[in-house]
Amino acid sequence: MNRTAGAASLAIFLVLASACADHGRRVELTEAELWIGRAAQLPGDGAAWKPVRLPDRWPAERRRIAVEGWYRFAVAPPADQAEPWALFVPRIYPNGAFFVNGVAIGAGGRMQPPISRNSFRPLCFVIPPSAWRARDNWIQVHFAGTPGSLGRLEPIFVGPAGELLADAELMRFFHMTLPQLSALLCLVLAAAIAMTPPIRLGGQLWFAAGLVCIALTTLSAFLPDAPLPNRMVEWIVGSALPWAGLCFAIGVCRRWGLRLPAERAWLTAYALAAMAFAALPALHVGRVWVPWMAATVGLAAFTAARLMLDAWRNRARWLAWAGLAGIAAGLLDLALNALGANAVHGAFAALVPVLFVLGFGGSLLVTLLSALRESDVLNRTLDARVAERERDLAVSYEQLRGAERERALSEERARLMRDVHDGTGGKLVTALSLLRSGLAAPAELEETLADALDDLNLTIHSVRPGASDLPGVLGLLRPRLDRQTRQHGLRLHWAISDAGEGRDLSPERVMHVIRIVQESVSNALRHAGASQLRIASGGGNGETAWFEIADDGRGGAEPRVDGRGLANLAQRAELLGGRLELHSDATGTRVRVTLDGAALGRASS
């Protein structure tokens, strides 16, 4: 913690030292001549030029004469013409255009109404080498102001372009980026406060309004070239700061359950001041704005003192330190301005609302934590009731799961009994009948018993998890089908693809695939008179698969299985969730079953 604080202090010291130090070969221009009047072209030597010293302000007395004018500075050319030089203007308000020996090098934006406002924007322009003369060099500034603005031109600098452009970027960060971030933070917090339910957080709407007013004071930082009349911008920015002070004062009092003394009178006075600010001629707005701001400074002091005192009494001392840090930032900014640290003065003033925002956010956090502590007992009671209900639901859920398991076991038990009875059981009965008759040939008895064992193996395989996809089931049938076809003198062609691989079929569907293949092959062996038999499978787009049994027999007749024929196959295909297609003609018979994604089962993990 101490190392972090030390590093932060060192960084601030280096920034301030860099800002206040004398840089290289730059020249600070403070002595100038001023010509007051409206002229698009530079006045000649015979005009009424008057000596001035920068920083130079345009008070109301000067603006009664004109709100435009020309400055000129005598300056020596750079010793090294090969190195580019630049002109750095820390602040010109509202706007100006810049020339070197009559050659235009840049401007701060629009010079005609609505004039661009550079209250936050430093300007820096590279001077073309061709603009310099061997001697008698002049820098001219065309100043453009408004009747309602207190115009200002600070000392400008001429020097190596690299140094001055770096200073301009640093100053732009402090004078534009930081105010923009501060304004955005104020708007975000204002929205959050306005949406907070009014439970033990009195005055939050006043605080939200004050934060919006603080954001409006940085309008020129966001929109220096705003397409609004200058008078309107002056009224918005000039009124926002006093109103922010009043809103914060009322919000602090409401926050602690009090009322600002003479609150209605303050609101009425501020409303009248805002209307007078808008109605008075631009040259006379200072007569309203100066006493208005004086009253606001008093309110701000009252607000800060009240907030820090209450924070200290409520042991939220870190909140009081945030207020003191805001005051220190304002004083530091004034000191930097007095020292001439043009790059960073004004930046710490932008941090004052940020510190205030953090302090008020901490105050809200303390209040919310207090409310949470008070509701903690109720929450624990509700949690206990919810936990009790969850236990009851868990017991009921386990009972339902038990009943579901029993039902599934019962259904699977009935299926196995049916498969064993229809397949293995029937063949064992046949073998027993052959033995009892005494007429059974050993080969015939052996074939019957082998068929019974094959059926038993198939039934057992149907309940094995993770290995029951379509190619696997068809592959399981191959040894048995090879033996059957050889015994009947048929040639078996096997063409199984990987369609359906990794999609496990349920045990019931496995048995339906097996029975469909067995019955189709049995029909071909008994009734088709075929010489060749083909078992194949394939797939479409990865979500469908098919398998088929085809022979080259007589065709043209409906296949028969125990007298039921096609109906038996169609029923099993329907139970499988597939679609049966039968094609039979003089070239043979083909039975195809097509399965969609649902019938293929779920993917193996």
Side-chain angles (χ1 to χ4, degrees), residues 209-219 232-248 270 274 277 289 292-293 296:
L211 291 170
V212 172
C213 291
I214 287 290
L216 288 176
T217 62
T218 62
L219 180 62
M232 180 181 295
V233 176
E234 291 165 359
W235 181 81
I236 293 173
V237 175
S239 302
L241 189 56
W243 274 107
L246 179 61
C247 291
F248 286 140
Y270 269 57
F277 193 3
W289 194 79
W292 196 9
M293 278 303 302
T296 302

Side-chain angles (χ1 to χ4, degrees), residues 308 310-324 366:
M308 288 189 292
D310 287 336
W312 195 272
R313 287 177 177 175
N314 288 274
R315 298 190 179 186
R317 296 188 177 181
W318 58 273
L319 180 56
W321 285 114
L324 290 174
V366 170

